[in-house]
Amino acid sequence: MRAGARRRARDGRDEPGWLHGAPPPRWARIAPPVALVALCAAQWTTATAELGYFLAALPAVAAFSYGAVGSAFFAVLVLVLLGVPQLGVGHARGADLATVATVGLLSVVIAWVRRRRDAQLVSVRTVAEAAQLAVLPPVPARVGGVNCSGLYRAAQRGTLVGGDLYDVRAGPYGVRAVVGDVQGHGLAAVGTVASLLGAFREAVLDDPGLAAVAVRLDRRLTADAAADSVAHPELFATAVLLEFPPGLDLVRIVSCGHPPVLLLRGHGVTEVAAEPGPPLGLGLSGPALPEVAELPLLPGDRLLAHTDGVTEARDAAGCFYPLATRVPALARDPAGLAAALWQDLAAFSGGGPRDDVALLVLSPDQRLSGGPGPPLGSGATH
């Protein structure tokens, strides 16, 4: 379980409220005994007020942080303190003592039911986490000759996967990456995400051209939309595909209606020139293949691909997040660009965007061959 937490933190998907059998907060366990001691001390030092009966509420409070045994211990202790006059805390008799005993018994039952439901919830969430991480596993720190850093935040609270996707895979035609955003978000879009990622992973091994990868993804989504089992037949997705061919200091990019990739070179940031094609699911498998842009790379270049959950995030005044102007300063953060960008985005939007967010930072190794290279942001299409 600790290894899984480390993987989620590295991938930017760690959630503080995620249940994994963690014990209740320390203050919740300390509160009942502290209250018991305080009430007893106050009663022993106060002769004019009856404070002992407040102890009757302690078993119910203990039921939220202790199990059935702990709650039973508090219930018996309260009964003794209230039922033995010589202790100087209370003088419960008859119906009063029976009422306190009933509250204690109910507290024990509540504590038992709570522990049982907590265990079931941990089991269900553990299975759900494993299933979601199988769909969208954390991006490795390095794939082939490309250094990778990813961050994913699902809009739906308590989930690890939503309507965004990314992946980086090495194959016979080089290292390929995809960042996409399917229609909808949350758990309803996970099936489409899984379908597209499966098609992409097959294409990495089988398709020699990057345009052919886009066509395969489009065919997959079109077939899914035509299936009777799909609740929303108008499926579509935006995506950007990147390819780092072996032995060449360049990147090839295909854009399917997706926000442009940013190139970080030196202290500058610019959008990579790539002709945007139609989104996936609208019939890319026709006679006209999507255009492939080529961009020569220099040592130290980094590429930032993202979904529109980043650029469409708004602050309190309704202004969009200025990604391109924020990146240069964030790129120097020792925590890494992806982590620094998310912290800045969360602060800008007041806690985080209301949409799924995916970030992928790619930094290929360079052979240091050739001349000084093209100016920042230049590229060619073919």
Side-chain angles (χ1 to χ4, degrees), residues 2-247:
R2 292 178 179 176
R6 286 194 295 268
R7 288 194 300 270
R8 293 191 306 275
R10 185 181 68 237
D11 202 37
R13 294 189 280 191
D14 198 21
E15 295 193 17
W18 196 261
L19 290 178
H20 286 286
R26 181 174 297 180
W27 64 265
R29 297 184 64 85
I30 293 177
V34 169
L36 187 146
V37 172
L39 286 172
C40 290
Q43 183 63 67
W44 288 328
T45 57
T46 303
T48 58
E50 286 287 341
L51 302 177
Y53 285 101
F54 286 104
L55 292 173
L58 287 184
V61 175
F64 288 99
S65 53
Y66 289 84
V69 175
S71 300
F73 170 79
F74 277 100
V76 172
L77 185 59
V78 168
L79 282 174
V80 172
L81 289 173
L82 295 180
V84 179
Q86 291 81 359
L87 297 178
V89 178
H91 305 81
R93 288 290 184 274
D96 292 339
L97 204 58
T99 301
V100 174
T102 301
V103 171
L105 179 61
L106 291 176
S107 301
V108 172
V109 174
I110 291 172
W112 180 81
V113 172
R114 181 189 61 81
R115 279 290 179 89
R116 187 177 178 86
R117 290 178 63 87
D118 284 353
Q120 292 174 345
L121 182 60
V122 170
S123 177
V124 169
R125 289 196 171 183
T126 301
V127 173
E129 176 189 346
Q132 293 179 66
L133 288 177
V135 171
L136 192 67
V139 174
R142 186 177 178 83
V143 178
V146 179
N147 299 309
C148 310
S149 175
L151 184 141
Y152 195 107
R153 294 285 182 176
Q156 185 170 336
R157 186 174 180 84
T159 62
L160 298 178
V161 180
D164 289 357
L165 61 101
Y166 59 15
D167 200 4
V168 185
R169 298 278 166 158
Y173 309 105
V175 176
R176 289 172 171 171
V178 61
V179 176
D181 184 358
V182 308
Q183 176 198 21
H185 58 265
L187 290 176
V190 173
T192 307
V193 168
S195 181
L196 285 177
L197 286 175
F200 170 75
R201 290 159 187 168
E202 292 179 357
V204 168
L205 301 176
D206 299 336
D207 295 331
L210 193 60
V213 178
V215 170
R216 182 189 287 256
L217 298 183
D218 178 74
R219 291 172 55 196
R220 177 71 272 165
L221 201 55
T222 303
D224 287 348
D228 295 335
S229 58
V230 177
H232 302 284
E234 66 280 5
L235 288 177
F236 67 91
T238 66
V240 61
L241 299 165
L242 301 94
E243 178 182 85
F244 302 91

